[in-house]
Amino acid sequence: MPVARRTLLGVGLAAATSALAGCGDNGAPAPGSADPSDAVTSTDAAGNRVGFGSRGNTTPPSGSPSATASPSGGAAPAGQARYAQDVTALLRKHLPATPQTVQHKGFPGAVAVVLVDGKTTVHTAVGEALRYGAGPKLLAAGQRVAMRPDSIFDLASVTKVYTAILLLQQVDKGRVDLTAPVRDYLPAFTGAGKDRITVEMLLTHTSGLPVGAKVTGLPDNAARWNAVLGTGLVSGAVPGDTFRYSSVGLMVAGKIVEKVTGQRLDQALKSNLTGPLGLRDTGFNPSTWLSSSAKASRLVATDARSSRGLLRGTVHDDVANHLGGVAGHAGIFATATDLAAIGQMLLNGGTHQGRRILAAATVRRMLTNLNAGKPAVDPERPNRTAAHGLGVVLNQSWFMGRLASTRTFGHTGFAGPSLLVDPHRKLVLALLTNRAHPNWSWANPDPVRAAVGDLLAKEVN
């Protein structure tokens, strides 16, 4: 991925070239070969995860068949679709070629979950969650950590989907009006032309706000948030006219959630979304809620070059880190299973496992292209369109592949995660990679995302 967006997000950092840390495990075998570090899982009729493979550390329920990874061919793992091994094989092609290979061209590891009509058809883990130490340096085999089906990833900008959901819940409650000026809720949201920015514009990326905010060199978090709220418009921008991807817009959206709920964003996430859905492996600042053993075995590393050292359990995004790891644009960590549940909830029209999270009408508006006919300005992806709902990306083949359609929605994250939902196929894909480990400039994650989309478009009708 080009440097521009990352550079802008890190404006004001002491080291412009600093990046974020990564994780590794036992050495990765040659692409296409079976390895004990791979694991494939499925879900039985009772909703139990089964067949974690040799490194899953989970015993299948009594009477449930176990599954073993078979990425190079043969029968599909028990309880999974026949294409599960094809997804695994595709992901393995992008791992480092040998245990000693230093520079990967894709990612050290990945986890993918595919749901079709609410049922798990693929749950696979390949490669390593921790492979490199600070420097970066390739770790010895005994110091690495295998990727697991329940590994916990930095979701980076996929956090924006969660923030949008939390804000839309407040719309459902009548506490927020999408057409109202942001300044009605946040008086400190000052600056020339910003009185015209509505709440909806924050979620559709049409506010005219820039990608990043300068928050370094300030005395405390209150000062840093005042700097975010005081961030000016992009030169020449007219609110509402043009799609410009803006992390600042979702930072501000998160502050509206805090203002109307009276809770910090991480608390609002737990109270209003992860708690009701039972998503115990999702949250900000995972080091505060994971056990010591889980930190060691389940956290996935990102950059290993930054001035902060190896990043594992610490948010990769520079601005979010300066804001204490809790912000509307980045900072949530989760498993692929938990992320897929968010996609399924939206696919179900706002409900999941009997719990209503959003009104059906609100979800319909969330998944509608509200930017039709507007130009898009994105130097990193000059071919992208403005198609966007409320906090979700729509119909973008650059990461959706052949699953892209006017109804397909999702989001990507800089560190390597992505969520894709295809309503036509009733399909949810949570694809989490650690491509930023140890150096985000080594690989562009979009071709892999699109390739998995192409494979599923062929296999799922």
Side-chain angles (χ1 to χ4, degrees):
M1 184 179 288
V3 176
R5 180 169 296 157
R6 186 63 185 166
T7 302
L8 286 170
L9 282 173
V11 165
L13 291 182
T17 58
S18 69
L20 301 143
C23 304
D25 172 14
N26 298 330
S33 64
D35 180 71
S37 68
D38 289 341
V40 182
T41 72
S42 60
T43 304
D44 64 15
N48 299 305
R49 289 188 294 172
V50 299
F52 271 41
S54 60
R55 289 191 181 269
N57 300 325
T58 295
T59 302
S62 175
S64 298
S66 63
T68 303
S70 178
S72 56
Q80 299 204 47
R82 56 186 170 77
Y83 52 80
Q85 68 268 24
D86 297 326
V87 173
T88 304
L90 190 160
L91 294 175
R92 288 196 56 76
K93 290 179 181 179
H94 298 274
L95 298 178
T98 72
Q100 291 76 37
T101 299
V102 174
Q103 183 168 343
H104 63 75
K105 294 184 179 179
F107 38 76
V111 178
V113 167
V114 178
L115 308 178
V116 178
D117 202 17
K119 299 177 182 177
T120 303
T121 62
V122 178
H123 191 174
T124 185
V126 302
E128 298 165 334
L130 175 65
R131 179 178 173 87
Y132 304 90
K137 64 178 181 180
L138 188 65
L139 294 173
Q143 295 177 292
R144 303 179 192 178
V145 177
M147 193 68 79
R148 297 165 37 138
D150 63 348
S151 289
I152 296 173
F153 289 74
D154 181 343
L155 294 189
S157 282
V158 179
T159 298
K160 294 177 172 69
V161 177
Y162 294 75
T163 301
I165 292 169
L166 294 174
L167 183 55
L168 291 172
Q169 287 178 322
Q170 302 311 309
V171 173
D172 282 349
K173 293 177 185 295
R175 296 173 177 169
V176 174
D177 179 355
L178 288 171
T179 65
V182 172
R183 198 170 290 178
D184 285 0
Y185 303 96
L186 301 172
F189 187 69
T190 57
K194 291 169 63 178
D195 56 314
R196 300 175 57 184
I197 298 176
T198 66
V199 175
E200 182 169 284
M201 291 176 193
L202 300 177
L203 301 183
T204 59
H205 294 271
T206 56
S207 66
L209 293 167
V211 174
K214 181 175 173 20
V215 296
T216 55
L218 298 172
D220 53 34
N221 222 32
R224 287 186 279 272
W225 274 111
N226 282 334
V228 170
L229 296 176
T231 299
L233 297 177
V234 172
S235 178
V238 177
D241 281 6
T242 301
F243 173 90
R244 288 183 176 85
Y245 188 85
S246 171
S247 286
V248 174
L250 273 294
M251 294 179 211
V252 175
K255 293 306 286 185
I256 296 176
V257 172
E258 294 186 339
K259 180 67 175 292
V260 300
T261 63
Q263 295 180 302
R264 203 170 69 174
L265 192 63
D266 54 346
Q267 298 166 334
L269 176 72
K270 185 174 182 179
S271 298
N272 301 318
L273 188 55
T274 61
L277 291 182
L279 305 182
R280 292 175 292 180
D281 291 328
T282 301
F284 293 94
N285 291 322
S287 293
T288 65
W289 46 269
L290 283 175
S291 67
S292 296
S293 61
K295 292 176 191 177
S297 62
R298 298 177 62 197
L299 280 175
V300 178
T302 53
D303 208 298
R305 302 173 301 144
S306 80
S307 58
R308 292 184 277 154
L310 172 71
L311 300 183
R312 191 178 181 209
T314 300
V315 63
H316 183 276
D317 181 87
D318 298 319
V319 175
N321 179 61
H322 277 85
L323 294 171
V326 180
H329 70 297
I332 291 177
F333 288 70
T335 60
T337 299
D338 276 11
L339 177 58
I342 296 297
Q344 188 66 45
M345 179 273 293
L346 294 173
L347 181 60
N348 292 346
T351 66
H352 187 59
Q353 296 182 343
R355 298 298 299 265
R356 177 156 294 283
I357 300 300
L358 286 174
T362 301
V363 175
R364 285 194 295 271
R365 182 162 182 79
M366 182 182 185
L367 306 182
T368 298
N369 181 12
L370 301 174
N371 291 343
K374 295 179 181 178
V377 176
D378 190 340
E380 293 185 16
R381 296 188 177 96
N383 295 322
R384 86 174 295 163
T385 70
H388 210 282
L390 297 172
V392 291
V393 179
L394 302 171
N395 194 20
Q396 303 291 335
S397 60
W398 50 268
F399 86 92
M400 298 174 175
R402 293 190 180 95
L403 289 177
S405 73
T406 55
R407 297 180 62 203
T408 306
F409 63 92
H411 213 290
T412 62
F414 187 88
S418 58
L419 173 67
L420 185 157
V421 182
D422 179 357
H424 172 71
R425 293 176 173 84
K426 299 181 180 179
L427 180 150
V428 176
L429 167 63
L431 175 58
L432 304 183
T433 77
N434 57 350
R435 75 96 180 189
H437 181 54
N439 182 339
W440 57 262
S441 68
W442 285 3
N444 177 359
D446 292 341
V448 180
R449 292 163 171 159
V452 176
D454 290 347
L455 189 160
L456 294 174
K458 181 179 70 173
E459 297 291 344
V460 182
N461 298 315

